[in-house]
Amino acid sequence: MPLVRTNRLHKHFGKNHVLKGINLEVEEGEVVAIVGRSGSGKSTLLRALNGLETIDDGTIEVDGTALVAEQGDLRALRQKVGMVFQQFNLFPHLSAGQNVMLAPQIVKDTSKEEAEVIARSTLARVGLEHKFDAFPDQLSGGQQQRVAIARALAMSPKVLLCDEITSALDPELVNEVLMVVRQLASEGMTLIMVTHEMRFAREVGNKLVFMYEGRIHESGDPQTMFANPATPEFANFISSLD
Amino acid sequence: MMTFTLWDIVRNLLLGGALTLLLSMVAFVLGGLAALALLFARIAKHRPPRGLAQIYIEIFQGTPLLLQLFTLFFGLSLLGLDVPAWLAAGVGLMLFSSAYLAEIWRGCVESVPRGQWEAGASLALTYREQMRHVILPQAMRMAIAPTVGFAVQVVKGTAVTSIIGFAELTKTGSMIANATYQPFLVYGLVAIGYFLLCYPLSWYAQRLERRLYATRTN
Ligand SMILES: Nc1ncnc2c1ncn2[C@@H]1O[C@H](COP(=O)(O)OP(=O)(O)OP(=O)(O)O)[C@@H](O)[C@H]1O
Ligand SMILES: [Mg+2]
């Protein structure tokens, strides 16, 4: 059984039909890269997967927890789905360590001591154990994004969603974040990432999803898709990249 | 005719000043508590509490404080309720403060970026937990300077209660001025009294604002 499965997912913003029946299956340990033009619904799909957007029709299932259009246990779903945002969204009033410790203490009733142990080890995973006491405004963009990844990991999610997590970074800081993602992928973390880094998507992804006008237009093995685009729209998309 | 020494004048004004201070503090503290309730109603998920809080706030922000006091004082006595001046003054200023503080604080809560709510939500925090651990700590920081600034408005606002006969600083001043025929001296002292009450607050508000600005730009 796939870890994540959406079934005929629909989403409208007013008259704008943004997701038109998305059927997506992600196996445990799979790294899925979602690509597509601006406005094709990539972010909306990702946000729907952890309940940041309500859905109008269809179902989402993550590791056995189901979400049926507007009903379902959001809290249970969100504990299984971590999210990293383009703009980091670290809590500016908390240190890096506190950012990571907050949710386990509140949501999982983890003791403070235990939360600190978790925070130190997840910060170590992103190479920032020495920044435990630094505040977000004392960190570079790349470091902030890595803390945001650690913060999501501290909840031990089954799957991590990443929405263009390097797009807000200066070019020289992109690599340190991609390295962390690559590391997570190699450790077997299930990842669904929207990205504009095509090379990264090809190298790290097991599966490529091309979204076009609210639908999954084409998906499959990245190497094959790039070598032999099955649809003219995807061929068009990749040729517009270079 | 009676003669007044300068000390007589000052002594009476100090008494009035103490009442001004007391009235300001009561109005500010109780108004602040009411404002907290209003704030949560104003930003609630459900429409009815939001609407009610908004109507309340608009009534108190959209009418002069003086008229609010008149309505309380004369309106209630018309209904046969004998409201003493101190009570009308305290309640009136409290209601007035609650509306303004709620609105100031709402602005602070709403200026916390959406992404902060979403980050909290994505970590499986409930609405209340997001509010308590993510939004309010940030909003409170932003609220300190304008809140202290508003305290100055409350102190000055207490002068209006002299109209309904509450013997705070201004009322005391006008009574003494009438008795001594020395309005310039007396009102001058009254003004100094307000200044002494307000200046430390304004100074503190400005300092807080500067400090906030400094940490932002660092
Ligand atoms: N909160 C919202 N309210 C109304 N419309 C929205 C909202 N969020 C997204 N949309 C619309 O939904 C459509 C899909 O947006 P989405 O953000 O999912 O696209 P995207 O593929 O992530 O694009 P990009 O590459 O620019 O990030 C767009 O037409 C957008 O204008
Ligand atoms: Mg997007």
Side-chain angles (χ1 to χ4, degrees), chain A residues 115-187:
Chain A
E116 184 173 336
V117 172
I118 296 172
R120 290 201 186 275
S121 77
T122 45
L123 280 174
R125 272 174 90 180
V126 300
L128 289 175
E129 60 272 46
H130 58 292
K131 293 293 187 187
F132 189 91
D133 292 314
F135 280 82
D137 62 1
Q138 300 168 319
L139 299 172
S140 73
Q143 290 171 331
Q144 288 188 55
Q145 194 59 296
R146 284 149 67 197
V147 172
I149 293 172
R151 180 174 70 176
L153 290 178
M155 292 292 283
S156 337
K158 288 279 180 181
V159 51
L160 193 61
L161 311 177
C162 302
D163 192 357
E164 298 194 38
I165 61 171
T166 57
S167 295
L169 297 174
D170 292 338
E172 71 270 20
L173 300 176
V174 167
N175 260 324
E176 64 181 65
V177 173
L178 291 185
M179 293 253 292
V180 169
V181 177
R182 195 184 291 263
Q183 177 70 27
L184 290 177
S186 74
E187 289 165 9

Side-chain angles (χ1 to χ4, degrees), chain A residues 6-222:
Chain A
T6 73
N7 185 24
R8 289 182 293 105
L9 207 60
H10 284 268
K11 172 72 184 175
H12 302 252
F13 286 113
K15 285 212 167 81
N16 192 0
H17 197 172
V18 178
L19 297 181
K20 302 172 183 165
I22 301 285
N23 297 309
L24 177 71
E25 292 194 351
V26 180
E27 300 294 333
E28 188 154 6
E30 211 168 22
V31 176
V32 179
I34 302 178
V35 300
R37 275 191 220 296
S38 181
S40 55
K42 307 180 296 292
S43 296
T44 307
L45 172 59
L46 228 54
R47 292 164 57 81
L49 287 180
N50 74 345
L52 284 181
E53 298 292 355
T54 57
I55 51 179
D56 299 329
D57 199 9
T59 56
I60 296 170
E61 215 177 300
V62 179
D63 190 35
T65 303
L67 191 72
V68 184
E70 287 235 35
Q71 304 151 28
D73 189 350
L74 264 186
R75 189 144 161 123
L77 179 79
R78 283 174 174 161
Q79 287 189 57
K80 295 178 175 177
V81 183
M83 179 134 185
V84 184
F85 301 87
Q86 185 174 347
Q87 299 295 340
F88 330 139
N89 296 348
L90 287 184
F91 306 133
H93 59 297
L94 300 177
S95 69
Q98 290 166 331
N99 261 277
V100 183
M101 287 166 68
L102 184 70
Q105 288 183 86
I106 296 174
V107 179
K108 295 189 167 174
D109 271 328
T110 309
S111 72
K112 193 170 177 209
E113 293 70 31
E114 208 179 324
E116 184 173 336
V117 172
I118 296 172
R120 290 201 186 275
S121 77
T122 45
L123 280 174
R125 272 174 90 180
V126 300
L128 289 175
E129 60 272 46
H130 58 292
K131 293 293 187 187
F132 189 91
D133 292 314
F135 280 82
D137 62 1
Q138 300 168 319
L139 299 172
S140 73
Q143 290 171 331
Q144 288 188 55
Q145 194 59 296
R146 284 149 67 197
V147 172
I149 293 172
R151 180 174 70 176
L153 290 178
M155 292 292 283
S156 337
K158 288 279 180 181
V159 51
L160 193 61
L161 311 177
C162 302
D163 192 357
E164 298 194 38
I165 61 171
T166 57
S167 295
L169 297 174
D170 292 338
E172 71 270 20
L173 300 176
V174 167
N175 260 324
E176 64 181 65
V177 173
L178 291 185
M179 293 253 292
V180 169
V181 177
R182 195 184 291 263
Q183 177 70 27
L184 290 177
S186 74
E187 289 165 9
M189 184 79 207
T190 311
L191 290 165
I192 306 179
M193 50 187 191
V194 173
T195 182
H196 286 315
E197 307 278 341
M198 287 310 143
R199 221 168 63 103
F200 185 73
R202 273 167 84 162
E203 286 170 15
V204 180
N206 315 121
K207 181 172 176 178
L208 189 67
V209 169
F210 171 62
M211 284 193 66
Y212 185 76
E213 293 181 353
R215 291 195 175 81
I216 295 183
H217 201 66
E218 187 175 338
S219 73
D221 169 61

